[in-house]
Amino acid sequence: MLLVTGGAGFIGSNVVAALNDAGRSDVAVCDLLGHEGKWRNLAKRQLADIVPPAELIDWLNGRKLDAVIHLGAISSTTATDGDLVIETNFRLSMRLLDWCTANGVPFIYASSAATYGDGEEGFGDDASLAALKTLRPMNLYGWSKHLFDLAVAERLARGDKLPPQWAGLKFFNVFGPNEYHKGTMMSVLARRFDDVRAGRVVQLFKSHREGIADGDQRRDFIYVDDVVRVIMWLLATPAVSGLFNVGTGKARSFKDLILAAYAALGTKPNIEYIDMPEAIRGSYQYFTQSEVDRLCRAGYNGGFTALEDAVTAYVRGYLDRPDRFR
């Protein structure tokens, strides 16, 4: 059996779909379904169990698992409940790390590009304690992920026992099907697609930084299928452990993203630029771009989908269809 925490969420449900497609029906999901229709992310899937997070540690007692894919977290970059975020994102992760270590189970977990903060220290995925300690996350979510990366790195530096395979994945700006429950944390493409399709004006933020044009704030946008391929490769390559960036290695603008959606529909762009809210101006990232050399040196050769191709696949395969779910 495989365990996917956060398996009803965005990336998690896409991983579950890939496991089903690979012939695995012995997949247990740990997640809360809530009242927002998140169950639809799993409606086409076959599962062995759905476990509430509060029951997970008891559920694990006596279990034999092939791997734990730990994607469950409070992922909102605007979260403010420090105690809840640390309990969910850090302390539960530590318990799972300990369980996988004690039971010899491979452990693949989600870190985040939010650990890099404003990017002044670059976006190199050096897992050494010295390198990690230079990072300054800008929000509670990023700090909670950073704290866990540090804990794993310290065990590695001390020569402490770790799971037979461990991999932390610093996801950059992931977009794709099944992100619809995320509200304001959805990709700009998913949030604005109905406006794009209807011909209504699409609003993007003005730039408040000299030398950067309106709409030219840049992110490393990566399609969820690429993320899933990396995770499936790790499952099939148990000799590989480490902390890895998961991005395309190419920063593209929000304007590029939305223009690609218009192109996929064959419609005329209609974009206007509005002031960025004062509340987020001080913590807004203007540029993220992953360094993926470490992942490639580890043997990954699956490549990454170009932005325009990824947007076209998302728009035509999901967003512009009656059923948007994978």
Side-chain angles (χ1 to χ4, degrees):
M1 186 183 289
L2 289 154
L3 172 66
V4 182
T5 74
F10 168 34
I11 297 174
S13 63
N14 278 277
V15 170
V16 171
L19 290 168
N20 275 185
D21 290 347
R24 299 292 300 252
S25 59
D26 56 343
V27 180
V29 162
C30 174
D31 213 329
L32 293 171
L33 299 180
H35 302 280
E36 305 305 318
K38 198 160 74 167
W39 68 272
R40 294 187 183 279
N41 288 345
L42 294 173
K44 300 172 186 176
R45 309 277 68 91
Q46 186 174 356
L47 303 171
D49 204 351
I50 300 179
V51 187
E55 299 176 18
L56 179 59
I57 301 304
D58 288 340
W59 182 89
L60 284 169
N61 286 335
R63 296 272 174 185
K64 292 181 185 281
L65 297 177
D66 292 337
V68 171
I69 305 166
H70 180 38
L71 306 175
I74 294 172
S75 59
S76 172
T77 57
T78 57
T80 57
D81 187 335
D83 298 312
L84 181 62
V85 168
I86 290 301
E87 179 62 35
T88 304
N89 293 5
F90 176 67
R91 297 193 70 223
L92 178 59
S93 299
M94 292 296 292
R95 293 187 195 106
L96 283 173
L97 176 65
D98 289 342
W99 186 89
C100 288
T101 301
N103 290 276
V105 174
F107 181 62
I108 298 169
Y109 74 91
S111 180
S112 173
T115 58
Y116 291 118
D118 62 9
E120 282 192 4
E121 298 299 325
F123 299 96
D125 48 2
D126 186 338
S128 69
L129 271 174
L132 289 174
K133 285 180 177 179
T134 66
L135 302 182
R136 295 291 181 267
M138 297 172 72
N139 53 56
L140 177 59
Y141 162 69
W143 176 62
S144 70
K145 291 294 189 179
H146 181 56
L147 204 58
F148 186 65
D149 288 342
L150 284 168
V152 175
E154 184 170 28
R155 292 189 183 192
L156 183 66
R158 289 197 309 241
D160 291 352
K161 188 178 180 184
L162 284 166
Q165 179 188 26
W166 65 272
L169 305 179
K170 293 199 173 195
F171 298 133
F172 277 68
N173 281 67
V174 188
F175 68 100
N178 294 11
E179 62 173 317
Y180 321 117
H181 64 283
K182 292 172 66 69
T184 58
M185 292 295 112
M186 275 193 293
S187 68
V188 170
L189 175 55
R191 287 205 315 273
R192 298 289 180 254
F193 179 74
D194 287 340
D195 292 330
V196 170
R197 184 169 58 182
R200 294 189 293 265
V201 67
V202 172
Q203 296 180 330
L204 297 177
F205 286 144
K206 291 180 181 178
S207 170
H208 296 271
R209 187 172 293 182
E210 191 173 343
I212 297 176
D214 294 341
D216 200 38
Q217 303 92 332
R218 292 176 179 253
R219 295 284 188 276
D220 191 332
F221 297 108
I222 180 168
Y223 195 43
V224 71
D225 286 10
D226 293 346
V227 168
V228 170
R229 268 197 299 276
V230 171
I231 293 172
M232 296 295 283
W233 173 76
L234 283 165
L235 288 172
T237 318
V240 172
S241 292
L243 186 64
F244 303 105
N245 283 335
V246 181
T248 66
K250 295 179 180 177
R252 299 291 300 275
S253 71
F254 284 97
K255 183 179 179 181
D256 289 339
L257 183 74
I258 296 301
L259 288 177
Y262 281 110
L265 290 174
T267 56
K268 183 180 178 181
N270 184 12
I271 300 172
E272 72 174 16
Y273 299 98
I274 60 171
D275 285 330
M276 188 182 298
E278 292 274 4
I280 66 171
R281 285 186 200 179
S283 60
Y284 189 82
Q285 286 180 305
Y286 273 74
F287 181 86
T288 65
Q289 181 171 280
S290 66
E291 296 176 17
V292 293
D293 293 352
R294 193 178 301 274
L295 182 65
C296 295
R297 287 198 304 270
Y300 183 71
N301 61 2
F304 302 101
T305 310
L307 180 69
E308 285 76 11
D309 294 337
V311 170
T312 297
Y314 189 17
V315 167
R316 296 181 183 174
Y318 298 96
L319 291 176
D320 198 31
R321 293 181 174 232
D323 179 2
R324 293 182 169 183
F325 293 87
R326 182 174 182 183

